[in-house]
Amino acid sequence: MIMELKVAEKSGAEILVQTLLDLGVDTVFGYPGGAVLPIYDALYDHPKIKHILVRHEQAATHAAEGYARSTGKPGVVLVTSGPGATNAVTGITDALMDSIPMVVITGQVATNLIGSDAFQEADTVGITRHCTKHNYLVKQPSDLAGVLTEAFHIATQGRPGPVVVDIPKNVQVAEAEFRSHNGKINPRYQPQIDGDFKAINEAAEMIMQAKAPILYTGGGIINSGPKASETLCQLAELLGAPVTSTLMGLGAFSASSEQWLGMLGMHGTFEANMAMNRADLVVCLGARFDDRITGRIDAFSPNSKKIHVDIDRSSVNKTIRVDLPVIGDVGRVMEQLLAVLKGRKFNAPDYEEWWARIKGWRATNCLAYPESKTEIMPQEAIRKLWEATHERDPIITTEVGQHQMWAAQHFDFEKPNKWLTSGGLGTMGYGLPAAIGAQLGDPDALVIDIAGEASIQMNIQELGTASQYRLPVKIFILNNEYMGMVRQWQELTYESRYSNSYSDSLPDFIKLAESYGWTGILIEDPSDLEAGIKKMIETDGPVLVDCRVAKLANCFPMIPSGAAHTDMLLTPEDVKGTMDDNAKALV
Amino acid sequence: MHIKEEKVERHVLAVLVDNEAGILARIAGMFTARGYNIESLTVADISADHAISRITIATNGPPHVIEQIIAQLDRLVPVHSVRDLTEAGPHVQRELALVKVSGKGENRIEAMRLADVYRARVVDATTESFVFEITGAPDKIQTFVGLMREVGLVEVGRTGVVAIGRGPDAA
């Protein structure tokens, strides 16, 4: 006699928690509320999932991003309906722009109340349709395990991104048979991993003919995993060509290499931008020709052939026409390219003339900054921070603004997954929660949020989260009492009419930190800088440093909006102070 | 400062999608979010098990924008395939319209005559009105509706264009 195998029924909330466990989730960033109470009750019985209670849902999303970016695992967020979901939207959009794998579970009012303007109801699926890679409204508990499994697959495969799963409260309470979906991958989303063999051969051909090639790398290499960074090093070594990177790609290639030109683009180095402009072959690896990179489109690298390796076909020819697109995982494609080049016994020329020109551009020493005995120069503060910490492979997060660009310029990264910043969306308030997420992912790491006094206030409430979970996060505020990047643009574009860019009524950051149980350190004098940084590193537990820096320092070099790579402003003396309307209209 | 406009071309796209809730909003929303145009959009379930819908989109834009539209559609998870019928070559485009005209005397006779010439069928008639059903390529419908305006057009409903490639193969 054949027995019918009975599968036990579980509530939607229990199915959700069990599926998260099956998928290997051990950390969830969230905030409870009415529409997720059944899920929180289920979590109560599952200590294997560590729930991190943030102080604001936006911070939950950034913490999940920091966790994801530093560990390579997807970040998981759990928030309630209505305001819980809408507060998460900024971080979800940030993850979409920077291709961060993230699954956001939102509570929703019961299915019979949807559309009735119920308490804490928002059309979460509608609101997040444009800021997610994909999203779901789950209407039956029996669908939950399958949907969640697909959500994690979509978030992590191909070009990573955020996926929202909206779960009405009655679906969390109702029961259904539960079968684990572990390992069952939905066939409808299968991105191309291997590059087309013909295209790889053509790329090899183009590389073999180049006289002035450059590798332009991006965040895709970080997303592809640490192995892709190793492959990049091998490829660069074989080619002997210069390497530059976007903001998101920093760390994929060692900054101490002779072949490293520094970051390119708006606040990139003179040598990187000039080399892009004069190259005869640009090999774009996991980057997307963002407007911060290209400057004026019609003047971008005008004489080069362009190869574009990207896992997302829609990135190809979006802003810059390329000669050869190669669709695939950038790590895999680089491996294929290496194999073909080695197979053809490619012996790179020494590009003597090319390197001689690069040497000339390097001689401008574009990252030099004026020295001061009376004020702390912000660039100097970053250099000193690097000197004091780099041997410990710190994880650096940032907020958004001048301090972010100075960190990108003056903090040299040697390894991937150590640099967490909001690139595409440019979200002030990203750094502190991202640092919290990164610290949870690697409890022993030295995690430092390089911040500005304006940005840090956008998620300052997260000081409490770090205290609660005993996370020894460090915050290093470059305090110039201005929204510095706004002020810099007003100086460059609007004749120094500083409309609303002064940070008035600042808190006493030291007292504020202390009230949350942090250690606060004030650094005011250049002579105290090194000792202050040392004290920050040596102090156990979370530390906030309020480092008072030169108030009117600007971030150079800079390509003004609407200008070409060759029109960089190198020093304050290059600034005209006015701009025409066409330039003003650009962001 | 003035904002420049680029020259556009019209393309008809056939998009196969999972027949699931919100799919139309996802497609239409992508067009508005990225500033693309929709001339017409039709959607209907086409598979025996009701799992797949075919969406026909008539759009316009400069060639690089059309290329982006196709790539952006293709990366949506529920989208199975996107086919640019205009680019693929010869294809048939059809649209159906219901056209109501009212009037008496010479106008009524003229409406009937024109309907005959354009092979429109009468699907409803009263002593002072007709409802014509007409199918054809969009410009034929356009012309017919234009003529009806002169002889008492009351209202018109159009389905939007559906299209399919010529020859034995599926798109």
Side-chain angles (χ1 to χ4, degrees):
Chain A
M1 202 175 93
I2 299 165
M3 292 281 286
E4 184 94 358
L5 202 67
K6 262 285 199 196
V7 179
E9 291 211 329
K10 283 178 184 279
S11 73
E14 282 164 14
I15 293 173
L16 168 84
V17 172
Q18 192 57 53
T19 306
L20 290 179
L21 283 167
D22 287 351
L23 289 162
V25 173
D26 53 16
T27 308
V28 172
F29 301 91
Y31 204 103
V36 282
L37 283 175
I39 299 173
Y40 272 84
D41 193 59
L43 279 176
Y44 201 68
D45 294 328
H46 288 277
K48 267 174 127 180
I49 294 183
K50 187 169 186 181
H51 178 274
I52 305 302
L53 178 66
V54 293
R55 303 302 188 254
H56 184 290
E57 289 90 348
Q58 184 196 352
T61 56
H62 294 321
E65 286 185 275
Y67 178 85
R69 192 73 170 163
S70 58
T71 63
K73 295 191 277 188
V76 183
V77 175
L78 172 60
V79 295
T80 193
S81 63
T86 56
N87 277 346
V89 164
T90 300
I92 295 170
T93 312
D94 194 272
L96 183 74
M97 291 287 267
D98 286 345
S99 309
I100 309 294
M102 182 159 90
V103 174
V104 181
I105 296 153
T106 53
Q108 182 55 276
V109 300
T111 48
N112 56 308
L113 292 176
I114 288 178
S116 71
D117 297 325
F119 177 64
Q120 293 196 326
E121 182 187 359
D123 174 13
T124 302
V125 166
I127 289 168
T128 60
R129 195 172 286 130
H130 300 298
C131 59
T132 51
K133 188 172 170 186
H134 195 54
N135 63 11
Y136 303 86
L137 172 65
V138 184
K139 289 185 171 168
Q140 289 293 338
S142 54
D143 293 341
L144 256 173
V147 164
L148 277 165
T149 307
E150 185 177 89
F152 275 79
H153 175 70
I154 290 170
T156 54
Q157 302 303 303
R159 179 175 177 178
V163 177
V164 164
V165 183
D166 198 26
I167 311 176
K169 197 172 181 184
N170 56 342
V171 176
Q172 300 168 29
V173 176
E175 293 181 338
E177 288 186 358
F178 173 67
R179 286 188 184 83
S180 173
H181 275 245
N182 216 3
K184 283 185 208 157
I185 295 167
N186 191 311
R188 74 168 169 164
Y189 183 70
Q190 297 298 343
Q192 185 174 344
I193 303 298
D194 287 353
D196 174 55
F197 191 67
K198 211 174 128 222
I200 304 270
N201 269 293
E202 212 175 312
E205 200 68 50
M206 287 163 78
I207 287 170
M208 290 166 82
Q209 281 166 16
K211 292 187 172 62
I214 184 165
L215 301 183
Y216 149 46
T217 65
I221 298 188
I222 314 272
N223 277 333
S224 180
K227 198 165 159 237
S229 294
E230 287 168 30
T231 313
L232 170 65
C233 290
Q234 291 164 20
L235 186 66
E237 200 176 329
L238 180 71
L239 262 57
V243 181
T244 182
S245 166
T246 66
L247 182 73
M248 295 308 294
L250 294 177
F253 191 73
S254 162
S256 57
S257 163
E258 283 291 313
Q259 287 166 258
W260 175 241
L261 299 187
M263 182 172 76
L264 82 161
M266 185 169 271
H267 289 288
T269 66
F270 183 66
E271 50 268 37
N273 286 329
M274 287 305 289
M276 284 296 279
N277 186 269
R278 301 287 199 259
D280 70 353
L281 177 69
V282 170
V283 186
C284 170
L285 301 164
R288 59 181 177 92
F289 299 96
D290 177 88
D291 57 74
R292 300 291 99 161
I293 294 305
T294 58
R296 206 175 85 217
I297 293 273
D298 59 8
F300 174 76
S301 194
N303 306 316
S304 64
K305 295 252 186 219
K306 295 172 190 74
I307 301 170
H308 186 180
V309 181
D310 204 301
I311 201 158
D312 179 2
R313 181 159 80 102
S314 74
S315 289
V316 170
N317 292 336
K318 186 160 63 180
T319 56
I320 297 288
R321 301 295 302 180
V322 298
D323 300 274
L324 177 67
V326 186
I327 307 302
D329 175 84
V330 68
R332 182 72 197 110
V333 170
M334 286 191 295
E335 282 170 16
Q336 291 175 286
L337 192 53
L338 261 175
V340 169
L341 286 168
K342 282 179 179 163
R344 293 190 179 196
K345 305 262 182 291
F346 174 62
N347 201 355
D350 52 16
Y351 307 118
E352 204 176 323
E353 199 192 319
W354 182 220
W355 278 109
R357 295 176 80 188
I358 290 168
K359 199 177 160 196
W361 298 320
R362 271 179 171 161
T364 54
N365 196 14
C366 69
L367 293 179
Y369 48 89
E371 281 179 31
S372 170
K373 288 249 185 307
T374 52
E375 296 181 303
I376 298 175
M377 295 308 290
Q379 302 93 328
E380 177 77 2
I382 303 279
R383 286 305 318 172
K384 289 278 183 259
L385 190 62
W386 177 81
E387 283 169 21
T389 62
H390 71 99
E391 281 173 356
R392 295 183 52 179
D393 280 336
I395 296 173
I396 302 294
T397 74
T398 73
E399 311 289 333
V400 168
Q402 283 182 322
H403 68 273
Q404 177 192 28
M405 291 299 112
W406 281 318
Q409 291 173 336
H410 296 278
F411 205 102
D412 296 336
F413 293 93
E414 300 292 322
K415 292 179 184 167
N417 307 96
K418 303 289 184 192
W419 166 247
L420 321 179
T421 195
S422 170
L425 196 64
T427 309
M428 293 168 73
Y430 169 88
L432 174 55
I436 287 170
Q439 190 78 72
L440 279 155
D442 187 350
D444 298 324
L446 173 60
V447 182
I448 307 170
D449 171 25
I450 297 178
E453 85 292 334
S455 278
I456 192 67
Q457 293 185 83
M458 282 216 189
N459 269 320
I460 192 81
Q461 75 287 345
E462 297 307 313
L463 291 170
T465 307
S467 307
Q468 181 178 345
Y469 297 97
R470 308 276 185 275
L471 302 173
V473 168
K474 318 294 180 198
I475 300 176
F476 193 85
I477 302 174
L478 297 179
N479 183 349
N480 61 4
E481 294 179 19
Y482 277 105
M483 288 149 233
M485 196 57 96
V486 173
R487 190 200 52 69
Q488 177 168 342
W489 277 58
Q490 287 172 337
E491 186 181 324
L492 265 56
T493 318
Y494 294 95
E495 293 139 357
S496 299
R497 287 151 55 90
Y498 295 156
S499 179
N500 289 283
S501 53
Y502 182 66
S503 294
D504 210 321
S505 306
L506 284 172
D508 179 333
F509 282 110
I510 307 304
K511 280 193 190 150
L512 182 63
E514 285 168 358
S515 76
Y516 275 102
W518 288 49
T519 304
I521 297 173
L522 179 67
I523 307 178
E524 286 183 294
D525 193 271
S527 61
D528 296 335
L529 184 58
E530 280 178 55
I533 291 171
K534 188 160 181 278
K535 191 175 164 202
M536 175 189 88
I537 302 164
E538 286 171 356
T539 304
D540 289 335
V543 183
L544 181 149
V545 176
D546 180 3
C547 182
R548 306 287 172 87
V549 298
K551 290 193 186 1
L552 299 177
N554 282 338
C555 186
F556 291 108
M558 176 181 185
I559 303 174
S561 55
H565 277 175
T566 45
D567 298 331
M568 287 202 94
L569 308 175
L570 293 174
T571 64
E573 288 74 51
D574 294 340
V575 175
K576 288 200 300 273
T578 55
M579 248 178 218
D580 66 23
D581 283 355
N582 282 311
K584 274 185 189 170
L586 297 165
V587 183
Chain B
M1 198 187 88
H2 299 282
I3 294 168
K4 286 182 206 149
E5 304 239 344
E6 284 180 282
K7 250 194 153 163
V8 300
E9 17 182 273
R10 179 174 182 274
H11 282 241
V12 177
L13 311 177
V15 188
L16 295 184
V17 300
D18 283 329
N19 186 15
E20 64 183 27
I23 181 65
L24 198 55
R26 215 177 278 285
I27 303 267
M30 191 281 287
F31 274 76
T32 49
R34 293 187 182 268
Y36 306 145
N37 298 319
I38 297 179
E39 261 180 33
S40 89
L41 187 151
T42 66
V43 56
D45 154 17
I46 53 153
S47 63
D49 61 357
H50 307 292
I52 303 286
S53 290
R54 180 171 171 126
I55 300 180
T56 310
I57 304 170
T59 182
N60 59 61
H64 67 270
V65 171
I66 301 289
E67 186 185 337
Q68 264 297 301
I69 290 173
I70 293 165
Q72 293 292 352
L73 282 170
D74 205 27
R75 78 203 278 252
L76 298 174
V77 173
V79 169
H80 290 248
S81 71
V82 187
R83 181 92 162 144
D84 184 347
L85 294 170
T86 306
E87 198 64 34
H91 60 278
V92 183
Q93 289 182 31
R94 285 293 179 271
E95 189 177 349
L96 182 145
L98 294 173
V99 182
K100 184 182 282 184
V101 291
S102 78
K104 288 187 166 174
E106 191 50 36
N107 271 358
R108 186 171 163 83
I109 295 161
E110 188 56 32
M112 212 37 209
R113 247 184 239 136
L114 287 165
D116 195 39
V117 172
Y118 279 79
R119 294 196 175 84
R121 285 201 310 138
V122 177
V123 290
D124 179 65
T126 66
T127 53
E128 49 187 324
S129 72
F130 288 119
V131 175
F132 297 116
E133 173 201 300
I134 181 170
T135 57
D139 55 345
K140 174 183 162 185
I141 310 250
Q142 194 69 31
T143 315
F144 181 69
V145 171
L147 289 168
M148 289 301 108
R149 272 203 180 94
E150 294 173 34
V151 292
L153 180 77
V154 177
E155 62 177 331
V156 58
R158 296 172 67 161
T159 58
V161 66
V162 289
I164 206 156
R166 289 187 188 275
D169 301 321

